[in-house]
Amino acid sequence: AVIVDIRREDEWQKTGIIDGAKTITAFTKAGRLHQDFQQKFSSIASSLETPIVLYCRTGNRTSKLGNALVSQMGYSNLSHLRNGITGWIKDGMKSVPYAGQ
């Protein structure tokens, strides 16, 4: 599966990312879809059947975005971390420092 962290760079710096995750900012601080998101997302999820796991800080943004990717763009193999990276870390799972991409 392709793991995609949809948070912003300042968030990646604070908590780190899941090892191997692709980082693509989905939303601006104002809550609007980031202008580059769709193009960057399509470049890593080359097929509508590509297994994808989305995550954000708490799971709220990925829940909404995941529903849109399925209903509006046709992705069929998409899931998300229900409690985001905060739940991941709380459950004892590790993150790695964000080094920029």
Side-chain angles (χ1 to χ4, degrees), residues 6 8 25-35 61:
I6 68 158
R8 294 179 304 278
T25 298
F27 298 101
T28 65
K29 281 190 176 189
R32 297 192 187 338
L33 190 64
H34 195 279
Q35 64 183 13
R61 286 175 279 183

Side-chain angles (χ1 to χ4, degrees), residues 11-36:
E11 295 176 287
W12 302 327
Q13 297 289 350
K14 285 180 190 172
T15 62
I17 64 171
I18 294 173
D19 196 17
K22 304 293 184 191
T23 52
I24 306 173
T25 298
F27 298 101
T28 65
K29 281 190 176 189
R32 297 192 187 338
L33 190 64
H34 195 279
Q35 64 183 13
D36 297 335

Side-chain angles (χ1 to χ4, degrees), residues 2 15 18 21 28-29 31 40-41 43 46 54 61-62 64-65 71-72 74 79-80 84 94 97 100:
V2 178
T15 62
I18 294 173
T28 65
K29 281 190 176 189
K40 288 180 178 181
F41 186 80
S43 74
S46 55
L54 301 174
R61 286 175 279 183
T62 53
K64 293 174 185 171
L65 182 63
S71 67
Q72 296 174 20
S79 59
H80 78 107
K94 302 288 181 205

Side-chain angles (χ1 to χ4, degrees), residues 1-5 51-55 77-81:
V2 178
I3 302 169
V4 182
D5 186 324
I52 301 163
V53 178
L54 301 174
Y55 74 94
N77 197 355
L78 197 133
S79 59
H80 78 107
L81 292 182

Side-chain angles (χ1 to χ4, degrees), residues 34-69:
H34 195 279
Q35 64 183 13
D36 297 335
F37 175 76
Q38 193 169 349
Q39 179 259 332
K40 288 180 178 181
F41 186 80
S42 296
S43 74
I44 62 163
S46 55
S47 162
L48 295 177
E49 293 82 35
T50 300
I52 301 163
V53 178
L54 301 174
Y55 74 94
C56 60
R57 187 173 59 87
T58 62
N60 189 35
R61 286 175 279 183
T62 53
S63 176
K64 293 174 185 171
L65 182 63
N67 290 337
L69 289 169

